[in-house]
Protein backbone atom coordinates (compact mmCIF):
# COMPACT_ATOMS: atom_id res chain seq x y z
CA UNK A 1 0.00 0.00 0.00
CA UNK A 2 1.42 3.37 -1.01
CA UNK A 3 1.83 6.03 1.64
CA UNK A 4 -0.44 9.03 1.07
CA UNK A 5 1.66 12.06 0.22
CA UNK A 6 1.09 15.25 2.21
CA UNK A 7 -0.49 18.03 0.08
CA UNK A 8 2.64 20.17 0.40
CA UNK A 9 4.72 17.41 -1.19
CA UNK A 10 2.18 16.21 -3.74
CA UNK A 11 1.01 19.56 -5.06
CA UNK A 12 3.94 21.98 -4.79
CA UNK A 13 7.57 22.00 -5.89
CA UNK A 14 10.01 23.11 -3.19
CA UNK A 15 10.35 26.61 -4.68
CA UNK A 16 6.55 27.05 -4.61
CA UNK A 17 6.21 26.61 -0.83
CA UNK A 18 5.84 30.19 0.32
CA UNK A 19 6.18 31.03 4.02
CA UNK A 20 2.90 30.94 5.93
CA UNK A 21 2.61 34.10 8.01
CA UNK A 22 -0.19 34.99 10.42
CA UNK A 23 -2.86 37.05 8.70
CA UNK A 24 -2.64 39.99 11.13
CA UNK A 25 0.42 42.07 12.00
CA UNK A 26 -0.12 44.27 15.06
CA UNK A 27 2.07 47.37 15.50
CA UNK A 28 2.94 48.88 18.87
CA UNK A 29 5.63 51.31 20.01
CA UNK A 30 4.69 52.63 23.45
CA UNK A 31 5.95 50.45 26.30
CA UNK A 32 2.54 49.67 27.84
CA UNK A 33 1.02 48.93 24.43
CA UNK A 34 3.92 46.70 23.42
CA UNK A 35 3.50 44.65 26.58
CA UNK A 36 -0.26 44.49 26.10
CA UNK A 37 0.17 43.28 22.51
CA UNK A 38 2.47 40.46 23.62
CA UNK A 39 0.02 39.52 26.38
CA UNK A 40 -2.90 39.34 23.92
CA UNK A 41 -0.81 37.27 21.49
CA UNK A 42 0.08 34.81 24.24
CA UNK A 43 -3.46 34.51 25.58
CA UNK A 44 -5.48 34.31 22.36
CA UNK A 45 -4.54 30.74 21.41
CA UNK A 46 -1.92 28.03 21.79
CA UNK A 47 -0.05 29.47 18.81
CA UNK A 48 0.42 32.92 17.30
CA UNK A 49 -2.70 33.91 15.39
CA UNK A 50 -1.14 37.32 14.78
CA UNK A 51 2.36 38.76 14.67
CA UNK A 52 3.49 41.67 16.80
CA UNK A 53 5.79 44.32 15.34
CA UNK A 54 7.52 46.54 17.89
CA UNK A 55 8.24 49.97 16.50
CA UNK A 56 11.64 51.66 16.54
CA UNK A 57 10.87 54.12 13.74
CA UNK A 58 7.87 55.92 15.23
CA UNK A 59 7.80 54.49 18.74
CA UNK A 60 10.69 56.41 20.30
CA UNK A 61 10.82 60.02 21.40
CA UNK A 62 13.50 62.07 19.67
CA UNK A 63 16.79 61.51 21.45
CA UNK A 64 15.55 58.33 23.14
CA UNK A 65 16.11 55.93 20.25
CA UNK A 66 18.79 53.87 22.02
CA UNK A 67 16.60 53.41 25.08
CA UNK A 68 13.69 52.27 22.88
CA UNK A 69 15.90 49.77 21.06
CA UNK A 70 17.20 48.37 24.36
CA UNK A 71 13.65 48.08 25.71
CA UNK A 72 12.47 46.24 22.59
CA UNK A 73 15.47 43.89 22.60
CA UNK A 74 14.72 42.96 26.21
CA UNK A 75 11.04 42.32 25.43
CA UNK A 76 11.87 40.06 22.49
CA UNK A 77 14.32 38.07 24.60
CA UNK A 78 11.84 37.77 27.48
CA UNK A 79 9.23 35.07 28.28
CA UNK A 80 6.57 37.52 27.09
CA UNK A 81 7.60 36.58 23.55
CA UNK A 82 5.88 33.23 23.89
CA UNK A 83 5.79 32.12 20.25
CA UNK A 84 8.85 33.87 18.74
CA UNK A 85 6.49 35.71 16.39
CA UNK A 86 7.65 39.24 17.17
CA UNK A 87 9.33 41.48 14.63
CA UNK A 88 10.74 45.00 14.73
CA UNK A 89 10.27 48.02 12.48
CA UNK A 90 13.69 49.60 12.12
CA UNK A 91 14.57 53.16 11.27
CA UNK A 92 14.91 53.69 7.51
CA UNK A 93 18.13 52.48 5.92
CA UNK A 94 20.54 55.41 5.87
CA UNK A 95 19.06 56.90 9.04
CA UNK A 96 21.73 57.51 11.71
CA UNK A 97 19.92 55.03 14.01
CA UNK A 98 19.72 52.11 11.55
CA UNK A 99 23.07 50.60 12.55
CA UNK A 100 22.35 51.32 16.21
CA UNK A 101 19.06 49.43 15.92
CA UNK A 102 20.86 46.36 14.57
CA UNK A 103 23.58 46.56 17.23
CA UNK A 104 20.95 46.58 19.98
CA UNK A 105 18.81 43.81 18.50
CA UNK A 106 21.78 41.52 17.85
CA UNK A 107 23.49 42.52 21.08
CA UNK A 108 23.87 40.91 24.50
CA UNK A 109 20.15 41.03 25.38
CA UNK A 110 19.73 37.92 23.24
CA UNK A 111 16.93 39.15 20.96
CA UNK A 112 18.65 38.22 17.70
CA UNK A 113 17.85 34.49 17.54
CA UNK A 114 14.21 35.16 18.46
CA UNK A 115 13.40 37.81 15.86
CA UNK A 116 10.57 36.76 13.55
CA UNK A 117 11.47 39.44 10.98
CA UNK A 118 12.78 42.97 10.56
CA UNK A 119 10.71 45.61 8.79
CA UNK A 120 12.54 48.22 6.69
CA UNK A 121 10.45 51.39 6.12
CA UNK A 122 10.72 54.25 3.62
CA UNK A 123 12.41 52.11 0.98
CA UNK A 124 13.51 54.30 -1.91
CA UNK A 125 14.29 51.60 -4.47
CA UNK A 126 15.52 48.03 -4.88
CA UNK A 127 19.18 48.97 -4.51
CA UNK A 128 18.54 50.54 -1.11
CA UNK A 129 16.54 47.54 0.11
CA UNK A 130 19.27 45.17 -1.09
CA UNK A 131 21.83 47.21 0.87
CA UNK A 132 19.61 47.08 3.98
CA UNK A 133 19.25 43.30 3.62
CA UNK A 134 23.03 42.93 3.33
CA UNK A 135 23.61 45.05 6.44
CA UNK A 136 21.03 43.04 8.40
CA UNK A 137 22.62 39.78 7.29
CA UNK A 138 26.10 40.97 8.27
CA UNK A 139 24.92 42.07 11.72
CA UNK A 140 23.14 38.77 12.34
CA UNK A 141 26.04 36.62 11.19
CA UNK A 142 28.51 38.64 13.26
CA UNK A 143 26.36 37.86 16.29
CA UNK A 144 26.19 34.17 15.42
CA UNK A 145 22.50 34.35 14.43
CA UNK A 146 20.59 33.18 11.40
CA UNK A 147 19.54 36.35 9.56
CA UNK A 148 15.82 37.00 10.07
CA UNK A 149 13.51 37.48 7.08
CA UNK A 150 13.14 41.05 5.88
CA UNK A 151 9.83 42.83 5.39
CA UNK A 152 9.68 46.16 3.60
CA UNK A 153 7.27 49.07 3.36
CA UNK A 154 6.32 50.29 -0.10
CA UNK A 155 5.34 53.90 0.52
CA UNK A 156 7.44 55.91 -1.96
CA UNK A 157 7.17 56.43 -5.71
CA UNK A 158 10.55 54.79 -6.23
CA UNK A 159 9.66 51.68 -4.27
CA UNK A 160 6.39 51.25 -6.16
CA UNK A 161 8.19 51.72 -9.49
CA UNK A 162 10.58 48.86 -8.59
CA UNK A 163 8.15 46.67 -6.65
CA UNK A 164 8.84 43.56 -8.74
CA UNK A 165 12.56 43.88 -7.97
CA UNK A 166 11.83 44.41 -4.27
CA UNK A 167 9.75 41.24 -4.12
CA UNK A 168 12.44 39.28 -5.97
CA UNK A 169 15.13 39.90 -3.33
CA UNK A 170 15.85 36.53 -1.64
CA UNK A 171 15.89 37.95 1.90
CA UNK A 172 12.48 39.58 1.49
CA UNK A 173 9.52 37.64 2.91
CA UNK A 174 6.77 40.25 2.74
CA UNK A 175 5.95 43.67 1.30
CA UNK A 176 3.55 46.05 3.05
CA UNK A 177 1.73 49.01 1.59
CA UNK A 178 2.37 52.24 3.51
CA UNK A 179 -0.87 54.11 2.86
CA UNK A 180 -0.31 57.29 4.88
CA UNK A 181 3.10 58.16 3.49
CA UNK A 182 2.03 57.14 -0.01
CA UNK A 183 -0.90 59.56 0.09
CA UNK A 184 1.29 62.32 1.53
CA UNK A 185 3.84 61.80 -1.25
CA UNK A 186 1.26 63.05 -3.75
CA UNK A 187 1.48 66.63 -2.44
CA UNK A 188 -2.24 67.02 -1.88
CA UNK A 189 -3.32 65.48 -5.20
CA UNK A 190 -4.95 62.67 -3.22
CA UNK A 191 -7.34 64.10 -0.63
CA UNK A 192 -7.38 63.13 3.03
CA UNK A 193 -10.24 60.75 2.18
CA UNK A 194 -7.59 58.55 0.60
CA UNK A 195 -6.44 57.70 4.12
CA UNK A 196 -9.96 56.65 5.20
CA UNK A 197 -11.85 53.45 4.55
CA UNK A 198 -13.72 54.23 1.34
CA UNK A 199 -11.15 56.50 -0.25
CA UNK A 200 -8.31 54.02 -0.02
CA UNK A 201 -10.33 51.38 -1.87
CA UNK A 202 -11.62 53.68 -4.60
CA UNK A 203 -8.97 56.27 -5.53
CA UNK A 204 -7.32 55.05 -8.76
CA UNK A 205 -3.76 55.88 -7.69
CA UNK A 206 -4.13 54.00 -4.41
CA UNK A 207 -5.90 51.07 -6.04
CA UNK A 208 -3.11 50.84 -8.63
CA UNK A 209 -0.45 50.78 -5.91
CA UNK A 210 -2.22 48.09 -3.91
CA UNK A 211 -2.69 45.86 -6.93
CA UNK A 212 0.90 46.21 -8.11
CA UNK A 213 2.25 45.28 -4.67
CA UNK A 214 -0.04 42.25 -4.39
CA UNK A 215 0.77 41.07 -7.90
CA UNK A 216 4.53 41.42 -7.37
CA UNK A 217 4.39 39.43 -4.14
CA UNK A 218 2.34 36.62 -5.62
CA UNK A 219 4.68 36.42 -8.62
CA UNK A 220 7.65 35.89 -6.29
CA UNK A 221 5.98 33.72 -3.64
CA UNK A 222 6.08 36.49 -1.04
CA UNK A 223 3.33 37.72 1.31
CA UNK A 224 1.53 40.98 0.46
CA UNK A 225 0.50 42.83 3.63
CA UNK A 226 -2.28 45.42 3.51
CA UNK A 227 -2.11 48.84 5.11
CA UNK A 228 -3.91 50.04 8.20
CA UNK A 229 -7.27 51.70 8.49
CA UNK A 230 -7.63 54.46 11.05
CA UNK A 231 -11.21 53.60 12.09
CA UNK A 232 -10.13 51.56 15.10
CA UNK A 233 -13.42 51.78 17.04
CA UNK A 234 -15.70 50.85 14.13
CA UNK A 235 -15.75 47.04 13.97
CA UNK A 236 -17.85 46.97 10.81
CA UNK A 237 -15.40 49.30 9.04
CA UNK A 238 -12.46 47.15 10.12
CA UNK A 239 -14.19 44.00 8.90
CA UNK A 240 -15.17 45.62 5.61
CA UNK A 241 -11.62 46.80 4.94
CA UNK A 242 -10.08 43.45 5.80
CA UNK A 243 -12.54 41.56 3.58
CA UNK A 244 -11.87 43.86 0.65
CA UNK A 245 -8.13 43.52 1.15
CA UNK A 246 -8.37 39.74 1.20
CA UNK A 247 -11.11 39.07 -1.33
CA UNK A 248 -10.80 41.92 -3.86
CA UNK A 249 -7.13 42.93 -3.69
CA UNK A 250 -5.36 39.62 -3.08
CA UNK A 251 -3.71 40.41 0.24
CA UNK A 252 -2.75 37.61 2.63
CA UNK A 253 -2.08 39.75 5.68
CA UNK A 254 -3.08 43.12 7.16
CA UNK A 255 -1.75 45.58 9.70
CA UNK A 256 -3.45 46.36 12.99
CA UNK A 257 -2.70 49.52 14.98
CA UNK A 258 -5.16 49.01 17.83
CA UNK A 259 -6.12 45.86 19.77
CA UNK A 260 -9.73 46.34 18.62
CA UNK A 261 -8.61 45.59 15.07
CA UNK A 262 -6.88 42.25 15.66
CA UNK A 263 -9.86 39.88 15.96
CA UNK A 264 -11.88 41.42 13.07
CA UNK A 265 -8.88 41.11 10.76
CA UNK A 266 -8.33 37.46 11.67
CA UNK A 267 -12.04 36.71 11.22
CA UNK A 268 -12.23 38.51 7.88
CA UNK A 269 -9.23 36.62 6.48
CA UNK A 270 -10.64 33.26 7.59
CA UNK A 271 -12.28 31.17 4.85
CA UNK A 272 -16.02 30.94 4.44
CA UNK A 273 -17.37 27.93 6.43
CA UNK A 274 -19.02 26.37 3.38
CA UNK A 275 -15.85 26.67 1.33
CA UNK A 276 -13.87 25.20 4.20
CA UNK A 277 -16.19 22.18 4.24
CA UNK A 278 -15.60 21.74 0.51
CA UNK A 279 -11.86 22.09 1.00
CA UNK A 280 -11.80 19.39 3.67
CA UNK A 281 -13.81 17.00 1.50
CA UNK A 282 -11.89 17.68 -1.73
CA UNK A 283 -8.36 17.54 -0.28
CA UNK A 284 -9.13 14.45 1.79
CA UNK A 285 -10.66 12.63 -1.20
CA UNK A 286 -7.79 13.69 -3.46
CA UNK A 287 -5.20 12.38 -1.04
CA UNK A 288 -7.08 9.09 -0.71
CA UNK A 289 -7.09 8.87 -4.52
CA UNK A 290 -3.31 9.48 -4.72
CA UNK A 291 -3.99 12.97 -6.12
CA UNK A 292 -5.62 11.72 -9.31
CA UNK A 293 -8.70 13.67 -10.52
CA UNK A 294 -11.90 13.31 -8.47
CA UNK A 295 -15.54 14.42 -8.66
CA UNK A 296 -17.18 16.46 -5.90
CA UNK A 297 -20.76 17.76 -5.98
CA UNK A 298 -20.96 17.12 -9.71
CA UNK A 299 -17.74 18.98 -10.51
CA UNK A 300 -14.41 17.56 -11.63
CA UNK A 301 -11.28 18.53 -9.70
CA UNK A 302 -7.62 17.96 -10.44
CA UNK A 303 -4.33 19.24 -9.07
CA UNK A 304 -5.01 22.85 -10.01
CA UNK A 305 -8.13 23.01 -7.85
CA UNK A 306 -6.53 20.76 -5.22
CA UNK A 307 -3.89 23.45 -4.76
CA UNK A 308 -6.55 26.11 -4.34
CA UNK A 309 -8.47 24.15 -1.73
CA UNK A 310 -5.27 23.29 0.12
CA UNK A 311 -4.63 27.02 0.47
CA UNK A 312 -8.15 27.33 1.95
CA UNK A 313 -7.27 24.66 4.52
CA UNK A 314 -3.99 26.37 5.37
CA UNK A 315 -5.74 29.70 5.85
CA UNK A 316 -8.27 28.06 8.14
CA UNK A 317 -5.47 26.65 10.27
CA UNK A 318 -3.63 29.98 10.40
CA UNK A 319 -6.76 31.81 11.54
CA UNK A 320 -7.57 29.32 14.31
CA UNK A 321 -10.63 27.76 12.70
CA UNK A 322 -12.02 24.55 14.20
CA UNK A 323 -10.93 21.58 12.10
CA UNK A 324 -11.96 17.95 12.53
CA UNK A 325 -9.41 16.06 14.63
CA UNK A 326 -8.63 13.66 11.79
CA UNK A 327 -7.95 16.57 9.41
CA UNK A 328 -5.68 18.27 11.92
CA UNK A 329 -3.78 15.02 12.51
CA UNK A 330 -3.43 14.26 8.82
CA UNK A 331 -2.40 17.70 7.59
CA UNK A 332 -1.23 19.91 10.44
CA UNK A 333 0.37 17.64 13.02
CA UNK A 334 4.09 18.54 13.14
CA UNK A 335 4.90 14.95 12.20
CA UNK A 336 2.63 15.06 9.14
Amino acid sequence: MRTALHPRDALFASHERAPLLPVADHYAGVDARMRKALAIQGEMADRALFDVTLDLEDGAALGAEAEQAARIAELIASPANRFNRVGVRLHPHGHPCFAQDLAMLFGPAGAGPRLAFLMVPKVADAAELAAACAQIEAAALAAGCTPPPVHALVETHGALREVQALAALPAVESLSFGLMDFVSAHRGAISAQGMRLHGQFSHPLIVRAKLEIAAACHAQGKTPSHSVITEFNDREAITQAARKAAQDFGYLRMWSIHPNQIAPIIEAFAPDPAELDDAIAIVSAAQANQWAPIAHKGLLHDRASFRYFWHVLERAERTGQALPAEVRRAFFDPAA
Side-chain angles (χ1 to χ4, degrees):
M1 180 178 177
R2 289 183 292 178
T3 302
L5 283 174
H6 192 280
R8 284 189 293 266
D9 300 318
L11 303 177
F12 302 94
S14 58
H15 69 277
E16 296 176 312
R17 299 173 193 170
L20 299 176
L21 301 179
V23 298
D25 183 13
H26 181 69
Y27 271 68
V30 176
D31 185 61
R33 293 173 186 168
M34 293 191 292
R35 294 180 186 278
K36 181 175 182 178
L38 292 175
I40 296 171
Q41 185 192 53
E43 294 165 359
M44 181 176 281
D46 61 356
R47 60 195 186 281
L49 295 185
F50 66 95
D51 280 342
V52 174
T53 299
L54 305 181
D55 196 354
L56 285 173
E57 183 192 18
D58 292 335
L62 289 177
E65 291 86 358
E67 292 85 347
Q68 175 80 342
R71 185 181 304 113
I72 285 176
E74 290 173 4
L75 275 175
I76 291 171
S78 76
N81 180 10
R82 180 179 172 190
F83 304 115
N84 289 331
R85 288 305 312 173
V86 179
V88 176
R89 177 160 68 170
L90 305 167
H91 285 87
H93 185 256
H95 189 283
C97 290
F98 185 84
Q100 175 181 270
D101 293 345
L102 297 181
M104 289 286 190
L105 294 172
F106 293 107
R114 301 184 62 187
L115 284 166
F117 54 87
L118 290 175
M119 166 64 76
V120 181
K122 305 289 190 301
V123 173
D125 52 34
E128 181 181 73
L129 183 56
C133 291
Q135 194 168 345
I136 289 167
E137 180 180 18
L141 294 176
C145 302
T146 300
V150 173
H151 297 189
L153 259 168
V154 178
E155 50 194 334
T156 68
H157 297 298
L160 182 62
R161 184 178 61 248
E162 299 187 13
V163 68
Q164 291 283 347
L166 300 180
L169 290 170
V172 170
E173 181 179 63
S174 174
L175 295 180
S176 294
F177 178 49
L179 172 68
M180 306 299 189
D181 283 285
F182 183 78
V183 170
S184 297
H186 284 78
R187 300 175 295 166
I190 302 175
S191 76
Q193 287 301 309
M195 294 185 276
R196 301 291 301 278
L197 171 61
H198 298 293
Q200 69 165 293
F201 287 105
S202 61
H203 195 288
L205 287 172
I206 301 174
V207 168
R208 164 184 168 260
K210 290 185 180 186
L211 293 176
E212 290 196 13
I213 292 165
C217 285
H218 288 299
Q220 298 295 335
K222 310 298 173 69
T223 297
S225 186
H226 194 268
S227 56
V228 302
I229 70 164
T230 55
E231 294 89 339
F232 64 84
N233 274 326
D234 186 340
R235 187 182 179 93
E236 179 54 35
I238 299 163
T239 299
Q240 184 180 347
R243 283 180 178 161
K244 287 188 73 67
Q247 297 173 12
D248 297 345
F249 285 77
Y251 280 78
L252 300 177
R253 179 170 163 101
M254 183 170 173
W255 284 28
S256 159
I257 54 171
H258 190 281
N260 289 349
Q261 296 178 326
I262 296 170
I265 290 171
I266 294 172
E267 292 166 9
F269 274 78
D272 176 80
E275 187 171 51
L276 177 56
D277 289 343
D278 284 341
I280 291 170
I282 289 167
V283 174
S284 298
Q287 187 186 53
N289 200 40
Q290 297 295 334
W291 305 105
I294 65 164
H296 177 72
K297 295 182 177 179
L299 299 175
L300 288 174
H301 292 278
D302 60 14
R303 294 191 184 195
S305 54
F306 297 161
R307 283 191 283 268
Y308 171 82
F309 285 106
W310 171 246
H311 288 311
V312 172
L313 269 178
E314 284 188 319
R315 193 165 73 254
E317 201 278 335
R318 293 204 314 281
T319 53
Q321 304 305 294
L323 295 172
E326 63 273 16
V327 172
R328 185 164 292 284
R329 281 196 303 270
F331 298 137
F332 299 108
D333 186 287

